Amino acid sequence: MRALRRAATVAAAMAVLAVLTGCGAGGDGPPAPDERIRGITLPAWGVDDYDRPEAREYLRQIADTGARWVVFTPTWYQNGTVRSLPRTSEETASDNSVRRIVALARSMGLKVMLKPHVDLVDGGDRAEIRPADRDAWFTAYERFITHYGRLARELGVEQFAVGTELAGTSGDRRRWTKVITAVREVYDGPLTYAANYDEYARVRFWGALDLIGVDAYWPLAESATADPARLAKGWRPIVTELAAFAARQNRRILFTEAGYVSQRGTASAPYSWTVSERAGAAEQSAAYQALLTAFDGRAWWAGVCWWMWDDWPDSGETERRLAYTPHGKPAEEVLRRWWRE
């Protein structure tokens, strides 16, 4: 019994160490706690977005906040949630543009996570994708995601996401494990999956990945507030829940997305582009402050990739003063205080 108890104690200690150091299922493992990811997403909505002349300046601005990572999101599309398959379109960033933007990021000292998306042609919610023919859909999806896995290996990308917010499929452990195995055959870096905040607990394949990815759009308040302390209080039960989940899964948690529009009431619905028609830069700033305060010092938390930096000229549907970007707003100064000091 003593030997068994000692073995159990050693095993428990190793499990805790794995949570703290980020040991995972493969690759080089996620960053250690003192290398927490400080990232910002620069999405692409068109074939040539990453080739635009603004790209260099956007990346310079991102690096100037103190960010050390940037996330790129080449996107395929499908026409409907049931019978369609993901494919390229005239809005899919070209591979050459991805090569160019990754090289630019590297020249500015930024690490890269490639996070390919599947979206719906009509702009609907990708979480509603529930294919009638799962074998056909997963075969097409594997072709899509391994294409970018090969590109990620070619470019030496530091981290890769195998999917984003596909809640209608993410309960399928067998098929997703097959996809992840195929990705590992073409890419040898750390892998994550970006689950929506109301999806992550139902994902059944975290054990095949190196990091738990969560798109952290939890509502934090029922009404408008610019009080960071009130919003930090809203994080408390979520922090407790995530800490327990990280321990059970023996994985650290990365916020693959988190963000707030600069609109009144943004923290009541962080996932919405259209919370209000009234500007709320102070509320956006308070929400940034609350998140960074709530997770500061949590060894199981791997960091955050904020959604998102400036949109490309003439492509944004939300005017800049109301949009997710923190650029030129008080939220940018919050990032500088946390990331540059």
Side-chain angles (χ1 to χ4, degrees), residues 36-177:
R36 190 164 284 131
I37 290 175
R38 299 178 299 190
I40 297 177
T41 302
L42 184 61
W45 313 115
V47 65
D48 62 349
D49 277 350
Y50 289 148
D51 281 325
R52 289 189 180 224
E54 295 84 6
R56 182 180 295 275
E57 180 61 13
Y58 285 177
L59 291 173
R60 186 197 65 76
Q61 292 165 353
I62 287 171
D64 197 49
T65 67
R68 294 294 175 262
W69 288 72
V70 63
V71 182
F72 300 126
T73 63
T75 303
W76 287 21
Y77 294 84
Q78 64 178 73
N79 187 17
T81 61
V82 177
R83 304 192 182 283
S84 181
L85 303 176
R87 55 179 174 75
T88 60
S89 79
E90 66 279 0
E91 297 179 354
T92 300
S94 71
D95 287 355
N96 282 338
S97 75
V98 174
R99 291 183 177 97
R100 177 177 181 273
I101 198 79
V102 169
L104 275 175
R106 287 277 167 59
S107 73
M108 297 181 191
L110 292 165
K111 296 181 179 181
V112 174
M113 178 163 72
L114 198 62
K115 183 169 167 278
H117 286 187
V118 170
D119 277 338
L120 297 173
V121 171
D122 65 3
D125 186 354
R126 67 175 74 94
E128 297 301 317
I129 295 173
R130 288 174 171 78
D133 185 339
R134 289 207 161 207
D135 287 337
W137 189 87
F138 272 95
T139 296
Y141 189 87
E142 184 177 312
R143 183 167 60 248
F144 151 74
I145 202 67
T146 54
H147 169 80
Y148 287 109
R150 291 185 186 93
L151 188 59
R153 181 179 62 183
E154 172 195 329
L155 299 175
V157 163
E158 285 83 359
Q159 190 157 280
F160 188 77
V162 301
T164 296
E165 297 175 357
L166 293 165
T169 70
S170 60
D172 193 328
R173 179 187 300 174
R174 179 178 66 82
R175 291 183 175 90
W176 270 105
T177 301

